[in-house]
Amino acid sequence: MGIKYLDITGVGIEFDTNGSKFRALQNVNLRMKKGEFVSLIGHSGCGKSTVLNIVAGLHRATEGGVVLEGKEVTEPGPDRAVVFQNHSLMPWLSVYENVELAVNQVFRKTKSRAERREWIEHNLQLVNMDHALDKLPGEISGGMKQRVGIARCLAMQPKVLLMDEPFGALDALTRAQLQDSLMEIQAELGNTVIMITHDVDEAVLLSDRIVMMTNGPAASIGEILDVNLARPRDRLDLAENPEFVHLRQQVLEFLYAKHSQPAKAAQETPQPERESAAVVEALSAEEDSGAKTGGPDSEAA
Amino acid sequence: MSDTATLKPDDRYQQLLARLGSRSFIEGLILPALGILVFLLAWQFSANRIETSLGKFPGPTQVWEQIENLGAEHKRERAKEAAFYQRQEERNARKLARDPDAVIKIRNYTGKPTFFDQIITSLLTVAAGFFIANLIAIPLGIVCGLSAATYKAMNPIIQVFKPVSPLAWLPLVTMVVSATYTAEDPVFDKAFLNSAITVALCCLWPTLINTTVGVTGIDRDLVNVSRVMALSPMVHVRKIVIPAAIPMIFTGLRLSLATGWMVLIAAEMLAQNPGLGKFVWDEFQNGSSNSLGRIMVAVIAIGLIGFMLDKLMLTLQKRVSWDKSAVLR
Ligand SMILES: Nc1ncnc2c1ncn2[C@@H]1O[C@H](COP(=O)(O)OP(=O)(O)OP(=O)(O)O)[C@@H](O)[C@H]1O
Ligand SMILES: [Mg+2]
């Protein structure tokens, strides 16, 4: 059923660290539909950011490639906006100016000055930051900075919104607030999102699919989990929802039972047949949207 | 403040005493004053013991006398100048009254420059040198910071020329200027140009190096944000590179101005640019009993002006810095 929108095919990357080669990713395959929300989860250092950076165009894949709406990704661009982990606002620009920089770049030719102003304010309103337009990033809290970072990306109207642990550095309350805001915004705008997270609850709450990565080196996609919980989702209702609990359990099992230690996993994973089988399964799981889980690991178990 | 108003006078007196006894007051005022006093005493004491061929080494009192002398000379010279122009005007008016078609001549006053005129010349020279240097150093530093290849290419040149003394440059600069600067009616004095260019050659390096370091050190994430937004190279430099590097650029500018001011005196001595350096040199050649005192005045003036220039740069740096919490000193 899915018209493919974003297509990551056979992506692998080898870093050259002063002479010695380091293979970070091998044969990563993922297809996304328009408006889909996908989380990437996996242990630290497995290569999640690297996948994201390849989609963003900040890294070039050594083999394989990324195709977005029929066009191959060769360089970074505003159609694949990235929310970085530590907000990355320009500290010398005010909240308004930070968003303005992006908006002027993207809509220089298509929107008038007044329209751009309105658009900037509208996007800051979406993340509830319209009260601090003239504040410098140094003068607002971490959660507020992250909101502005999200507004900056939304304002570019990207085809895909890429988020690298956007809420990782925030306290639990602020994180919950921002997750709710993000769900509302995504419901309203229908963004296609790839989000990296370390937080299992966050992954289940927000995503349509959870992509679980094996440990590096030569990391790949281990399993893909479909989350078919009805939207809009409410964190309080879900806490006792058996399906939510089950999904959560499956992610935890993947992370802590099947791929707990990087060293152990490294011995297990480099089995090409299993890797490609996982991919085929994952892709067919997407076609056959009824399936809840994909990947041989779960079925083999 | 409001509680001061409601206090009884006695309390206020106590408060004043407390303030006088407080650390910040002692550290802010008393300690520097004490340092200066000790220095003056030591100076006076040792100066009396040093005999030179031009008499005793001047102590603070003699130097103060010379400051007054130089001030008086300046006033006299200005009065003479005013009188000269007045005489000239009257003469021309009379000429015109006799014959309306008479060709009148206006001559400039050509008196000896006073100490204060020489300070102005020195300041103008250092400003010119500083300006030329940074017109080159900042853009070049940005390019070196952005492109590792350019930096690698430039690095040997920077390392070799950085430690060169102004005295080595000056003869070369003089010859080149006299060969190439042959305008009929020169706007700038050759000696002025020689000194300014020599200063520029010496104060280029701190800005160049610091700008390069500042640009190289920009947060990777901010550069990535710029790449994601697909900013054009010009916008990238204007909106991201320059603001990010501004603190380092200013560190470079401050060092550069300090170097320039130090180099200037030597350059002026040799180039005979009518500034403080020439003043010192002339007094030295003069060799009167007042000379040493007058040179000492110049030394103090050079120090004070250098200090003020640095303060000026610091104020500017604070004004343009986006990081208001950074401690600048
Ligand atoms: N530019 C690079 N050069 C060399 N090695 C790199 C580079 N970027 C990443 N790596 C390596 O690739 C592996 C994956 O890194 P990556 O940053 O993608 O991990 P991650 O899953 O995002 O980890 P975390 O959850 O801690 O952010 C790591 O072993 C890292 O050392
Ligand atoms: Mg990461």
Side-chain angles (χ1 to χ4, degrees):
Chain A
M1 63 157 273
I3 317 140
K4 67 179 178 189
Y5 187 63
L6 178 72
D7 204 344
I8 304 174
T9 317
V11 163
I13 194 167
E14 206 167 50
F15 287 114
D16 206 350
T17 38
N18 44 34
S20 65
K21 301 238 187 264
F22 176 78
R23 173 153 290 277
L25 292 176
Q26 183 132 33
N27 198 20
V28 173
N29 292 278
L30 183 69
R31 276 190 197 166
M32 285 180 66
K33 286 170 286 194
K34 194 170 179 176
E36 196 175 18
F37 195 120
V38 166
S39 304
L40 276 181
I41 200 164
H43 286 286
S44 181
C46 70
K48 304 180 295 293
S49 298
T50 309
V51 171
L52 203 78
N53 284 336
I54 290 172
V55 177
L58 294 167
H59 284 329
R60 279 309 295 269
T62 313
E63 65 265 350
V66 178
V67 175
L68 174 61
E69 261 199 332
K71 261 180 63 188
E72 185 170 3
V73 168
T74 52
E75 56 180 7
D79 57 339
R80 281 154 286 123
V82 186
V83 178
F84 292 93
Q85 175 159 10
N86 53 351
H87 68 77
S88 302
L89 299 177
M90 313 296 161
W92 49 88
L93 295 180
S94 70
V95 164
Y96 180 88
E97 289 165 335
N98 262 291
V99 181
E100 187 185 32
L101 188 60
V103 168
N104 282 352
Q105 185 63 24
V106 179
F107 299 105
R108 201 178 20 201
K109 296 195 184 98
T110 49
K111 280 190 198 308
S112 74
R113 189 178 280 272
E115 280 170 335
R116 273 178 290 178
R117 168 160 260 286
E118 205 172 303
W119 178 241
I120 296 163
E121 282 169 0
H122 168 73
N123 278 283
L124 282 164
Q125 221 164 348
L126 275 180
V127 295
N128 290 322
M129 280 303 296
D130 49 331
H131 59 278
L133 297 182
D134 298 321
K135 289 241 164 65
L136 288 175
E139 300 165 347
I140 58 180
S141 73
M144 289 172 161
K145 279 184 247 195
Q146 207 51 272
R147 285 172 189 274
V148 178
I150 293 171
R152 175 171 66 186
C153 287
L154 291 175
M156 293 189 239
Q157 277 193 329
K159 291 178 182 160
V160 185
L161 183 58
L162 305 170
M163 306 174 101
D164 193 345
E165 291 181 46
F167 313 133
L170 304 176
D171 65 279
L173 284 176
T174 314
R175 194 183 311 170
Q177 255 178 13
L178 283 183
Q179 286 164 355
D180 290 342
S181 303
L182 183 60
M183 274 195 288
E184 274 169 37
I185 291 168
Q186 210 243 343
E188 192 179 324
L189 306 179
N191 307 84
T192 310
V193 184
I194 303 181
M195 180 178 79
I196 295 177
T197 179
H198 273 139
D199 181 339
V200 178
D201 286 343
E202 178 172 279
V204 181
L205 179 68
L206 296 177
S207 324
D208 296 317
R209 280 194 293 160
I210 302 175
V211 172
M212 294 174 274
M213 289 187 64
T214 62
N215 290 319
S220 185
I221 293 177
E223 280 178 41
I224 298 180
L225 193 64
D226 280 4
V227 180
N228 288 322
L229 297 166
R231 290 180 189 270
R233 298 175 184 166
D234 182 294
R235 67 178 64 246
L236 292 178
D237 296 348
L238 282 181
E240 286 166 16
N241 180 325
E243 200 181 342
F244 178 86
V245 175
H246 177 66
L247 287 165
R248 200 172 165 278
Q249 186 59 33
Q250 276 181 290
V251 179
L252 287 174
E253 204 171 297
F254 178 89
L255 288 177
Y256 299 109
K258 295 179 197 157
H259 294 275
S260 56
Q261 285 156 18
K264 188 174 142 233
Q267 288 159 3
E268 280 176 16
T269 39
Q271 293 173 10
E273 310 91 59
R274 264 181 77 189
E275 292 295 337
S276 45
V279 167
V280 171
E281 279 292 326
L283 290 177
S284 60
E286 190 207 322
E287 246 100 66
D288 170 15
S289 62
K292 259 186 206 149
T293 59
D297 297 46
S298 56
E299 271 145 31
Chain B
M1 272 189 294
S2 57
D3 39 277
T4 335
T6 57
L7 292 172
K8 291 190 292 280
D10 201 31
D11 290 346
R12 248 185 273 170
Y13 178 66
Q14 288 293 335
Q15 221 174 34
L16 189 69
L17 276 187
R19 189 126 44 99
L20 287 183
S22 77
R23 268 186 88 78
S24 65
F25 185 77
I26 292 183
E27 281 174 4
L29 218 70
I30 306 265
L31 290 183
L34 205 67
I36 291 171
L37 194 72
V38 169
F39 170 74
L40 287 177
L41 286 175
W43 176 14
Q44 184 78 59
F45 178 77
S46 45
N48 281 333
R49 258 140 247 263
I50 303 174
E51 280 294 341
T52 72
S53 58
L54 298 176
K56 278 203 170 84
F57 191 84
T61 39
Q62 288 90 323
V63 169
W64 181 250
E65 263 167 43
Q66 290 312 319
I67 292 177
E68 286 177 335
N69 274 350
L70 287 168
E73 268 169 37
H74 180 72
K75 274 199 204 120
R76 269 205 303 281
E77 197 65 28
R78 277 294 124 85
K80 262 163 90 183
E81 185 181 349
F84 170 86
Y85 281 116
Q86 200 184 349
R87 276 204 308 280
Q88 174 170 286
E89 226 168 84
E90 281 167 8
R91 198 167 47 235
N92 286 337
R94 255 176 298 161
K95 239 188 195 170
L96 283 177
R98 253 183 285 135
D99 170 13
D101 300 328
V103 188
I104 56 164
K105 279 184 229 146
I106 293 180
R107 283 202 191 84
N108 282 330
Y109 182 69
T110 51
K112 187 167 153 277
T114 68
F115 182 63
F116 298 94
D117 296 334
Q118 283 163 317
I119 291 182
I120 302 288
T121 311
S122 280
L123 284 174
L124 285 178
T125 316
V126 85
F130 181 69
F131 182 75
I132 300 171
N134 292 307
L135 211 59
I136 301 167
I138 295 178
L140 199 58
I142 291 174
V143 173
C144 282
L146 288 177
S147 141
T150 315
Y151 177 70
K152 287 209 180 95
M154 290 286 305
N155 196 33
I157 301 167
I158 296 174
Q159 300 303 334
V160 167
F161 286 128
K162 191 178 57 151
V164 174
S165 150
L167 307 184
W169 282 119
L170 192 68
L172 298 174
V173 172
T174 311
M175 297 316 289
V176 172
V177 167
S178 55
T180 52
Y181 190 64
T182 48
E184 276 295 302
D185 183 21
V187 188
F188 300 112
D189 199 32
K190 270 188 188 161
F192 172 84
L193 274 187
N194 290 339
S195 320
I197 293 175
T198 306
V199 166
L201 281 173
C202 293
C203 65
L204 193 75
W205 313 110
T207 317
L208 179 55
I209 292 168
N210 279 285
T211 306
T212 306
V213 171
V215 172
T216 319
I218 301 178
D219 191 348
R220 288 282 341 144
D221 277 355
L222 296 188
V223 176
N224 280 343
V225 170
S226 166
R227 288 175 65 199
V228 166
M229 290 193 279
L231 296 184
S232 69
M234 275 320 287
V235 178
H236 175 67
V237 167
R238 230 180 43 222
K239 293 283 183 174
I240 295 175
V241 173
I242 292 180
I246 266 285
M248 283 305 279
I249 293 178
F250 261 86
T251 307
L253 286 177
R254 270 175 78 193
L255 283 173
S256 158
L257 189 56
T259 314
W261 184 242
M262 206 133 77
V263 160
L264 174 77
I265 307 301
E268 279 182 342
M269 271 191 188
L270 285 181
Q272 293 291 298
N273 184 42
L276 278 170
K278 186 169 190 300
F279 174 87
V280 171
W281 186 250
D282 287 350
E283 287 301 331
F284 179 58
Q285 295 296 317
N286 217 358
S288 81
S289 58
N290 286 338
S291 287
L292 289 184
R294 291 159 78 95
I295 292 176
M296 202 61 209
V297 175
V299 166
I300 293 171
I302 291 166
L304 281 178
I305 292 169
F307 173 67
M308 284 187 308
L309 288 178
D310 194 54
K311 275 278 173 244
L312 182 79
M313 289 304 292
L314 188 63
T315 317
L316 257 179
Q317 181 173 15
K318 281 184 179 155
R319 179 74 54 89
V320 299
S321 170
W322 40 268
D323 190 1
K324 302 291 179 204
S325 63
V327 184
L328 298 174
R329 55 174 88 221

